[in-house]
Amino acid sequence: MSAFMEETKCLLPRIAFIACGCFSPPTPMHLRMFEIARDHFEMQGTHKVVGGIISPTHDSYAKKGLASSLDRCAMVKLAVQSSNWIRLSDWEVHQNQWMRTQSVLQYHQNFMNNYLNSAAGAGDAEPNGSLPGWLPFSLRERKDPVHLKLLCGADLLESFAVPGLWAEADIEDIVANHGLVVITRCGSNPEKFIFESDILTKYKRNITLITNWVPNEVSSTLVRRLLSRGQSVKYLIDDLVLEYIKRQRLFNVKSKYITDAVRPNHLIFNHAYTDNNKNAANSLIGEQNMDESDSPSPQLLQQATSRVFCCGDTSPRGPKLLRVGPGQAVQVITMQSDEKAESQAKKQKIAQVQL
């Protein structure tokens, strides 16, 4: 019987999850969402989950409380090191601008498709010839495609109703072509939001609602607030993430000492990496409170005036659109000539975190 069940499982359609957000800092609930979602599909016996991806947002998201992308990626790497299937993707943070969620989904889906369809299995390898670390293991054990779904909380689903925050075309593309896996709180009513949206109702079959029966209200905002007050967050976030926060003095942490209690011997921070984090951080990042579904701060639009061109203007260095919310083009910001080199430097620094 067990052999039959294993054979049946191998025939199930394959899916992977991707979670987009700030992760400033990552909390256990960010990771629990992946485990809850995988349990659901495995217990239902409808799909085989092959991987989970965490994609932190770009620095130009620019909300108060947003640590630099280098620090956020480092914290995510530390948080997921105990997992054998959830991984960090730093593709989004290395782009020249903030990316819409739909674009992030499409990139990762296309990459997996190309990888599976390539004869050599290399797909679209990165410039250095290696495959990205977020790519799930053993994708080529089977030839069938892997369907990437957006994993989120009910707050993101509700944000679809905020006027001007999401482009309707993006919502329809995400739900129709990728699908949503929504982790909801006990007692919430996500069906109401689906009912009140024509687009969500149209593609309701592509939305999986999963109730989290073990409440965990620890948010990134709460962690930042406690840290800024000098209060303990031990047991609220991963010890290694907490140690990193203290070492880097993130989120206005007021702890007057760094404890040795959470310094396992195998955790050796690369000092060149951590020393350079502050220099590489985007100077436009503020220190406000924010939620994972917030739109980029309008203050960003009033800075760096020497690089700003009104819509319709041109630049010899090539214009780039900056968006306040998904699908909303607001203004054009030119690229500095060394931005690509800086992005590559960021990638190398993130890779230098020794786990």
Side-chain angles (χ1 to χ4, degrees), residues 220-263:
S220 298
T221 301
L222 174 62
V223 171
R224 294 195 305 272
R225 181 178 300 125
L226 292 176
L227 286 170
S228 67
R229 294 175 179 175
Q231 295 177 280
S232 172
V233 295
K234 188 170 177 62
Y235 308 120
L236 295 182
I237 59 176
D238 187 281
D239 276 347
L240 302 182
V241 174
L242 175 56
E243 173 69 358
Y244 184 90
I245 290 172
K246 289 180 177 180
R247 285 174 177 254
Q248 298 302 104
R249 299 294 180 181
L250 302 178
F251 312 122
N252 295 321
V253 61
K254 295 186 182 302
S255 176
K256 296 181 180 179
Y257 61 91
I258 299 178
T259 177
D260 289 328
V262 292
R263 290 183 180 177

Side-chain angles (χ1 to χ4, degrees), residues 285-349:
I285 302 305
E287 292 292 338
Q288 330 168 4
N289 288 329
M290 48 119 200
D291 293 321
E292 310 303 353
S293 59
D294 286 347
S295 59
S297 170
Q299 279 83 358
L300 175 65
L301 307 182
Q302 301 173 2
Q303 302 182 31
T305 55
S306 63
R307 301 175 58 206
V308 175
F309 289 77
C310 294
C311 295
D313 290 347
T314 59
S315 165
R317 289 175 291 192
K320 289 292 178 181
L321 288 180
L322 176 68
R323 300 175 185 273
V324 183
Q328 291 184 312
V330 175
Q331 63 184 12
V332 177
I333 289 183
T334 62
M335 293 175 57
Q336 298 294 338
S337 60
D338 59 344
E339 279 187 348
K340 291 185 178 179
E342 179 181 348
S343 177
Q344 187 62 28
K346 282 187 179 181
K347 186 182 294 290
Q348 293 172 354
K349 291 172 185 174

Side-chain angles (χ1 to χ4, degrees), residues 46-222:
T46 57
H47 296 81
K48 180 180 180 181
V49 179
V50 299
I53 305 167
I54 293 180
S55 179
T57 191
H58 193 272
D59 280 336
S60 62
Y61 195 67
K63 295 297 290 187
K64 292 178 180 178
L66 186 69
S68 74
S69 59
L70 289 170
D71 287 321
R72 288 182 287 120
C73 286
M75 288 188 287
V76 169
K77 288 182 72 173
L78 293 172
V80 302
Q81 69 172 335
S82 62
S83 174
N84 62 2
W85 70 284
I86 306 172
R87 298 180 171 188
L88 164 73
S89 169
D90 58 4
W91 175 82
E92 187 176 353
V93 305
H94 292 306
Q95 303 311 299
N96 294 321
Q97 62 188 38
W98 173 78
M99 303 297 292
R100 305 192 319 274
T101 301
Q102 182 273 338
S103 299
V104 176
L105 276 163
Q106 194 61 58
Y107 165 79
H108 289 85
Q109 181 67 76
N110 289 344
F111 193 104
M112 287 193 294
N113 291 344
N114 293 337
Y115 175 77
L116 287 168
N117 295 329
S118 65
D124 292 331
E126 294 189 326
N128 61 6
S130 63
L131 291 171
W134 59 263
L135 201 63
F137 284 127
S138 308
L139 277 186
R140 292 180 61 83
E141 285 184 351
R142 289 163 51 177
K143 297 298 184 181
D144 57 305
V146 174
H147 190 183
L148 185 64
K149 292 179 174 288
L150 178 62
L151 177 66
C152 63
D155 55 342
L156 186 142
L157 185 70
E158 297 170 9
S159 75
F160 286 162
V162 178
L165 182 59
W166 292 82
E168 288 195 1
D170 281 359
I171 297 176
E172 184 162 10
D173 182 83
I174 290 171
V175 183
N177 298 323
H178 299 281
L180 293 176
V181 178
V182 185
I183 309 299
T184 69
R185 300 180 181 88
C186 177
S188 64
N189 188 16
E191 291 88 352
K192 177 183 177 182
F193 292 97
I194 295 176
F195 173 78
E196 292 176 347
S197 167
D198 291 338
I199 294 177
L200 297 182
T201 299
K202 180 179 179 180
Y203 298 104
K204 184 177 180 179
R205 66 185 183 279
N206 293 339
I207 304 175
T208 302
L209 301 177
I210 306 173
T211 301
N212 173 27
W213 296 106
V214 184
N216 185 333
E217 302 299 326
V218 178
S219 65
S220 298
T221 301
L222 174 62

